[in-house]
Amino acid sequence: MAKKKQTKKKATKKKNTRKTGGVSKRAKKGSRKAKSRKTPRMSGMIEDEAASIQRTIMRGKKPCLKFPIRSLANVRYRPKIGYFELKGRKKERTLTVGTVKTFAQTLRMMSLSKDLVEQDDIATKREAYYVSKNWDSARFREQPESDTVIDDVEALFQVNREQLGFVPEEKGGDVAGKLVVLDRDRDTGKMLRIDCTRFGSGAYSIPISVEDLGFETGAKFILAIETAGMFQRLVKHNFWKKANCILISMGGVPTRACRRFIRRLSDEKKLPVYVFVDCDPYGIGNIYRTLKVGSGNAAHINEFFCVPQARFLGITPEDIEKYKLPTHPLKEVDVKRATDALKNDPFVLHHKPWQRAFTRLISMGVRAEQQALAKWGLNYVIENYLPEKLAKPEKFLP
Amino acid sequence: MAKKKQTKKKATKKKNTRKTGGVSKRAKKGSRKAKSRKTPRMSGMIEDEAASIQRTIMRGKKPCLKFPIRSLANVRYRPKIGYFELKGRKKERTLTVGTVKTFAQTLRMMSLSKDLVEQDDIATKREAYYVSKNWDSARFREQPESDTVIDDVEALFQVNREQLGFVPEEKGGDVAGKLVVLDRDRDTGKMLRIDCTRFGSGAYSIPISVEDLGFETGAKFILAIETAGMFQRLVKHNFWKKANCILISMGGVPTRACRRFIRRLSDEKKLPVYVFVDCDPYGIGNIYRTLKVGSGNAAHINEFFCVPQARFLGITPEDIEKYKLPTHPLKEVDVKRATDALKNDPFVLHHKPWQRAFTRLISMGVRAEQQALAKWGLNYVIENYLPEKLAKPEKFLP
């Protein structure tokens, strides 16, 4: 047993060094040449892992896989890097009579991922579940089982599952403004220049996987907006032209694709990200905080999906008073969310201004939506609120 | 009292003739010159209504507004025109001490609509609610109150509220394939040609209001798809190229904008609409049926939003057996939905093939998702299922 553990430890250490290094380089560069670089690396990583398991078996030992534990308890907030990070505790899956099915399923899932990457294809979690129906006794009975195995594989390789070819079910995130997205035609390989200034009242819909996109822009900042309605107003009035910016509609809590898109765009083009959401514990604690530092139960992917450079433009508790906004009373769930954040959220605990903001909101006992500005006229937000705010970005909340 | 009723009746009749005529012409043409034609008509309609109320008051009579009752009980299915239609029962709102506030609110909402139309602006229902905060004693206390008044105004003029400048909160609907959308730049008035073949892995996101869009296409049909994941697969593999079609992702039950977009595109370009959803009572009864014939509680707008030309490509109960698809057992709510449809849904009651399909589904006791085809390989849907289906469109369910 002692010997086995040692072998594993060594193998894991070697693996981690190699992989983390490779991945962060990739995340930093994130260029549109990614595909050509991704294919050999990802499928190589999978092959290496499989070969190491095979070797262990050939030596007559029990192979073992190690996955980081994915929970808030295994997470710390690192202000310097800007997101929730795994503390490093791991769970192990050793091949035994009891684990043989899950072990086999994990290997088959790795094999499916290798196929996807090599063939430049994608599979949603649901599709992957159905593919398993042809895996004989390794087939999954229910989708939650296969979802967990995909999450495990993602955590095992310390990558995001889009890099493994697994894409989310849901789409989300619309873009308009001073941005050209670079994509390519799959059949011809020809570069496609997608000009987001030329969609009129419509918008560019962010694809499910954004790893291979490139960007050209002369914009000064990204404005990430909570509601589709507010986005549509700013698009309708060409706000991006006057403000020289890129508008992104998150439609509530942003999807993985939307978060990754904002992150890659902001990283690559060194653009600040300003976030415009409702002033309530949900808008601040769920939408903004998830976008900026990620969430606890998905900490193994925060590295790729959070946007540490995001800053909170509004609506702030101060705005409610300054602009005399119509409000709604805080619901019980709002108050609970706010008090919980003040007590347990490592992000809030780190930032004094957020502690003050939450405390103020609780004592005011009200919340306000971004549309509340319409009290002063439908386009008050365009003519007054946003210009006044954007004149002083240093005042944005962290 | 008798006299007053007479006056109202006359005024209403005159109004209805004029409006219904005008609107259906507009709906049929639906050209991108709509804006220039819309502005005078809509604001003229509102002015006429207001003037008629003023005249009644000046004559010392009590003015009255008549709205169609919006419920399933006031609806019939007209197979010839293809959608649920109001039977014509109306509710009245006469100006009295008890109704004075709602009456005033209705008039102010009409006035806001007139401003929106004349200034080519939009307001979401939520924004309209906040605008009312400056209406002194006519302000709304809660948004559901103002929503109802907007619905009333919409029904009063027998138009869809997008034509009145009121747009929904939510967006939805992505497009890729053989279509050029014609829009215009608001500032320059210049025509914008949005080529949906050139979005790579992304897509064109349908705007909240589609009334003013124009279309150019050489496609043979529209394929409306339930899930974003399936849409992304077909986009990724350029399925629209091989099949010469337009792909539209509905993302579950389609939004108003998505339904109206499909309807206008299909009408204007005489394109058949094929619908590809899960085989369960929700996919058939909610998504497909809503798209095709509309819903009961919004019957006053079905004229604009339903797509009577839509036909059901699959997944059919027959497909489950033919393609040996992996299934899930029907949930209790599924069985209830199916038996309810067989008993009460005028659309199902009219179509024998749907009665057979629902009966078969209930006796099979299972449902299948469109992703279930992945059992035979991720791209089985592209290489086998869709080509086999599309070879026999006459077999599609009505």
Side-chain angles (χ1 to χ4, degrees):
Chain A
M1 185 69 184
K3 207 173 168 188
K4 192 198 75 196
K5 275 229 171 181
Q6 223 177 359
T7 321
K8 275 181 310 178
K9 214 171 218 168
K10 222 168 132 189
T12 315
K13 205 178 167 190
K14 192 186 144 213
K15 184 184 73 202
N16 277 351
T17 323
R18 179 167 39 78
K19 274 154 199 169
T20 316
V23 166
S24 26
K25 217 193 290 172
R26 155 142 185 61
K28 265 180 220 153
K29 284 202 184 163
S31 99
R32 70 208 119 90
K33 282 185 201 143
K35 176 125 313 156
S36 47
R37 289 186 293 119
K38 182 171 72 182
T39 312
R41 181 177 305 122
M42 285 308 311
S43 72
M45 274 165 64
I46 296 169
E47 263 174 26
D48 289 357
E49 185 70 37
S52 135
I53 289 165
Q54 195 190 20
R55 276 195 305 274
T56 312
I57 293 171
M58 301 308 274
R59 270 191 241 113
K61 311 282 176 201
K62 289 183 195 160
C64 175
L65 296 165
K66 277 190 173 187
F67 312 96
I69 292 170
R70 301 190 305 274
S71 84
L72 201 62
N74 191 27
V75 148
R76 74 168 71 80
Y77 175 51
R78 294 263 311 273
K80 265 198 188 162
I81 57 167
Y83 48 84
F84 286 165
E85 198 191 43
L86 284 171
K87 279 184 190 162
R89 264 181 286 155
K90 300 207 168 194
K91 66 173 177 188
E92 299 185 358
R93 186 171 296 154
T94 306
L95 179 56
T96 64
V97 175
T99 63
V100 61
K101 188 171 172 186
T102 328
F103 205 94
Q105 288 171 326
T106 310
L107 294 182
R108 291 225 59 159
M109 199 59 92
M110 282 163 55
S111 160
L112 173 60
S113 165
K114 185 166 168 283
D115 288 348
L116 291 175
V117 174
E118 288 177 354
Q119 290 157 27
D120 183 19
D121 207 341
I122 47 172
T124 63
K125 282 181 161 185
R126 194 174 298 164
E127 286 176 325
Y129 160 71
Y130 283 118
V131 167
S132 87
K133 291 296 181 187
N134 256 338
W135 291 354
D136 295 323
S137 44
R139 85 165 67 87
F140 295 100
R141 259 170 321 178
E142 301 288 344
Q143 201 193 320
E145 296 170 19
S146 61
D147 287 356
T148 307
V149 168
I150 292 176
D151 290 345
D152 282 346
V153 173
E154 177 180 55
L156 174 74
F157 289 109
Q158 307 260 314
V159 297
N160 64 67
R161 65 170 178 269
E162 284 79 358
Q163 289 173 294
L164 294 164
F166 298 114
V167 297
E169 210 57 54
E170 85 284 1
K171 289 192 50 154
D174 284 344
V175 184
K178 295 256 176 111
L179 173 68
V180 174
V181 178
L182 304 172
D183 202 343
R184 64 191 179 96
D185 186 296
R186 185 190 165 86
D187 295 338
T188 63
K190 239 180 67 182
M191 169 80 71
L192 293 167
R193 301 183 79 258
I194 302 161
D195 184 347
C196 299
T197 65
R198 298 191 44 80
F199 296 139
S201 54
Y204 169 72
S205 171
I206 297 174
I208 279 179
S209 175
V210 304
E211 295 303 326
D212 303 320
L213 303 179
F215 308 107
E216 284 174 9
T217 180
K220 287 266 184 299
F221 62 93
I222 299 167
L223 187 64
I225 301 151
E226 174 171 345
T227 63
M230 178 59 78
F231 174 76
Q232 190 72 34
R233 167 160 307 283
L234 300 186
V235 169
K236 173 120 188 150
H237 291 275
N238 283 344
F239 176 76
W240 50 267
K241 243 187 231 180
K242 293 156 217 153
N244 191 18
C245 69
I246 300 163
L247 303 172
I248 299 186
S249 166
M250 299 186 287
V253 176
T255 61
R256 289 166 63 107
C258 183
R259 290 158 63 195
R260 182 80 179 128
F261 184 91
I262 296 176
R263 165 68 181 278
R264 288 202 53 230
L265 173 58
S266 164
D267 272 7
E268 206 166 296
K269 296 298 165 187
K270 310 256 176 306
L271 291 179
V273 177
Y274 303 144
V275 184
F276 182 24
V277 298
D278 291 346
C279 183
D280 56 30
Y282 187 79
I284 299 168
N286 293 47
I287 299 177
Y288 174 69
R289 201 272 257 130
T290 301
L291 178 72
K292 182 171 173 117
V293 299
S295 61
N297 58 3
H300 59 298
I301 55 156
N302 288 340
E303 180 184 351
F304 309 104
F305 288 95
C306 66
V307 183
Q309 56 270 58
R311 297 183 52 92
F312 191 90
L313 177 148
I315 307 278
T316 63
E318 215 182 314
D319 289 341
I320 295 184
E321 290 176 352
K322 182 174 170 197
Y323 292 96
K324 296 188 181 59
L325 298 182
T327 57
H328 296 276
L330 283 182
K331 284 181 235 159
E332 209 172 302
V333 58
D334 292 322
V335 177
K336 188 182 173 320
R337 198 169 266 143
T339 35
D340 276 2
L342 281 168
K343 247 187 274 172
N344 304 319
D345 190 319
F347 172 71
V348 175
L349 291 177
H350 179 80
H351 288 294
K352 282 250 156 45
W354 276 122
Q355 290 163 31
R356 281 193 295 270
F358 272 112
T359 310
R360 187 161 177 184
L361 204 57
I362 294 172
S363 77
M364 288 162 75
V366 294
R367 60 191 174 87
E369 293 168 333
Q370 51 183 181
Q371 285 87 348
L373 293 158
K375 180 190 173 188
W376 306 113
L378 284 167
N379 290 315
Y380 185 83
V381 61
I382 292 175
E383 286 150 19
N384 300 77
Y385 180 78
L386 285 175
E388 281 168 30
K389 281 275 168 171
L390 290 166
K392 290 174 188 164
E394 69 280 3
K395 290 213 169 170
F396 293 168
L397 282 160
Chain B
M1 186 68 185
K3 207 172 168 187
K4 194 197 74 196
K5 276 230 171 181
Q6 223 177 2
T7 321
K8 273 181 309 175
K9 215 171 218 167
K10 223 167 133 188
T12 315
K13 203 178 167 190
K14 191 184 145 214
K15 183 185 72 199
N16 278 351
T17 322
R18 179 167 39 78
K19 275 153 201 170
T20 315
V23 167
S24 31
K25 216 191 293 170
R26 156 145 183 57
K28 264 179 223 155
K29 286 201 184 165
S31 99
R32 70 206 119 94
K33 282 185 201 143
K35 175 123 313 155
S36 48
R37 288 185 295 119
K38 181 172 72 180
T39 313
R41 178 178 308 121
M42 285 309 310
S43 75
M45 274 166 64
I46 296 169
E47 260 174 29
D48 288 356
E49 185 71 38
S52 136
I53 289 166
Q54 194 190 24
R55 276 195 305 275
T56 314
I57 293 172
M58 300 307 273
R59 270 193 240 110
K61 310 283 175 203
K62 289 182 195 161
C64 175
L65 296 165
K66 277 188 173 188
F67 312 96
I69 292 169
R70 301 189 304 272
S71 83
L72 201 62
N74 191 28
V75 149
R76 76 168 69 82
Y77 175 52
R78 294 261 312 272
K80 264 197 188 162
I81 56 167
Y83 49 83
F84 286 166
E85 197 191 44
L86 285 171
K87 280 186 190 160
R89 264 182 286 155
K90 299 208 170 196
K91 66 175 178 187
E92 299 186 357
R93 185 172 296 153
T94 306
L95 179 56
T96 66
V97 175
T99 64
V100 62
K101 189 171 171 186
T102 328
F103 205 94
Q105 288 171 326
T106 311
L107 294 183
R108 290 225 59 158
M109 199 59 91
M110 283 162 55
S111 158
L112 172 60
S113 165
K114 184 166 170 283
D115 288 349
L116 291 175
V117 174
E118 288 177 353
Q119 290 157 28
D120 182 20
D121 207 339
I122 48 173
T124 63
K125 282 180 162 186
R126 194 173 298 163
E127 286 177 325
Y129 160 72
Y130 283 117
V131 167
S132 87
K133 291 295 182 187
N134 255 339
W135 291 353
D136 294 323
S137 42
R139 85 166 66 88
F140 295 99
R141 258 169 323 175
E142 300 288 345
Q143 200 193 321
E145 298 171 17
S146 61
D147 287 355
T148 307
V149 168
I150 291 175
D151 289 346
D152 283 346
V153 173
E154 175 180 56
L156 173 75
F157 289 110
Q158 307 262 313
V159 295
N160 65 66
R161 66 170 178 268
E162 285 78 358
Q163 289 172 295
L164 294 164
F166 297 113
V167 297
E169 209 59 53
E170 86 283 4
K171 288 191 55 154
D174 283 346
V175 185
K178 295 254 178 112
L179 173 67
V180 173
V181 178
L182 304 172
D183 201 343
R184 64 192 178 93
D185 185 295
R186 186 191 165 87
D187 295 338
T188 63
K190 238 180 67 182
M191 168 81 70
L192 294 168
R193 301 184 79 260
I194 302 159
D195 184 348
C196 300
T197 65
R198 299 189 46 79
F199 281 90
S201 55
Y204 168 71
S205 170
I206 298 175
I208 279 179
S209 175
V210 305
E211 295 303 326
D212 303 320
L213 303 179
F215 307 107
E216 283 174 10
T217 179
K220 285 266 183 299
F221 62 94
I222 298 166
L223 186 64
I225 301 150
E226 176 172 343
T227 62
M230 180 58 78
F231 173 78
Q232 189 74 34
R233 169 160 307 284
L234 300 186
V235 169
K236 172 121 188 149
H237 291 275
N238 283 344
F239 176 74
W240 51 266
K241 244 187 229 179
K242 295 156 213 153
N244 191 16
C245 70
I246 300 163
L247 304 172
I248 299 187
S249 167
M250 299 186 287
V253 175
T255 61
R256 289 167 64 107
C258 183
R259 291 158 62 193
R260 182 80 178 128
F261 185 90
I262 297 176
R263 164 67 180 278
R264 288 202 52 229
L265 173 58
S266 165
D267 273 6
E268 205 167 297
K269 297 297 165 187
K270 310 258 175 304
L271 290 180
V273 177
Y274 303 144
V275 184
F276 183 23
V277 298
D278 290 347
C279 183
D280 58 30
Y282 187 80
I284 299 168
N286 293 48
I287 299 179
Y288 175 69
R289 201 272 257 131
T290 301
L291 178 72
K292 182 171 172 116
V293 299
S295 61
N297 59 4
H300 60 296
I301 55 156
N302 288 339
E303 181 184 350
F304 308 104
F305 288 94
C306 67
V307 184
Q309 57 270 56
R311 297 183 53 91
F312 191 90
L313 175 147
I315 307 282
T316 64
E318 216 181 313
D319 290 341
I320 294 183
E321 291 176 352
K322 183 173 169 199
Y323 293 94
K324 296 188 182 56
L325 297 182
T327 58
H328 297 276
L330 283 181
K331 284 181 234 155
E332 208 172 301
V333 57
D334 291 322
V335 177
K336 190 183 172 317
R337 199 170 266 143
T339 35
D340 277 2
L342 280 168
K343 248 187 271 171
N344 304 320
D345 190 318
F347 172 69
V348 175
L349 291 176
H350 178 80
H351 289 292
K352 282 250 156 43
W354 277 121
Q355 289 162 33
R356 281 194 295 270
F358 273 112
T359 311
R360 187 162 176 182
L361 205 56
I362 295 171
S363 77
M364 289 163 73
V366 294
R367 59 190 176 86
E369 293 169 333
Q370 50 184 184
Q371 286 87 349
L373 292 157
K375 181 191 171 187
W376 303 112
L378 284 167
N379 290 315
Y380 185 84
V381 60
I382 292 175
E383 285 150 19
N384 301 77
Y385 180 78
L386 285 174
E388 280 168 32
K389 282 277 169 171
L390 289 167
K392 290 173 188 164
E394 69 281 3
K395 290 211 168 170
F396 293 168
L397 282 161

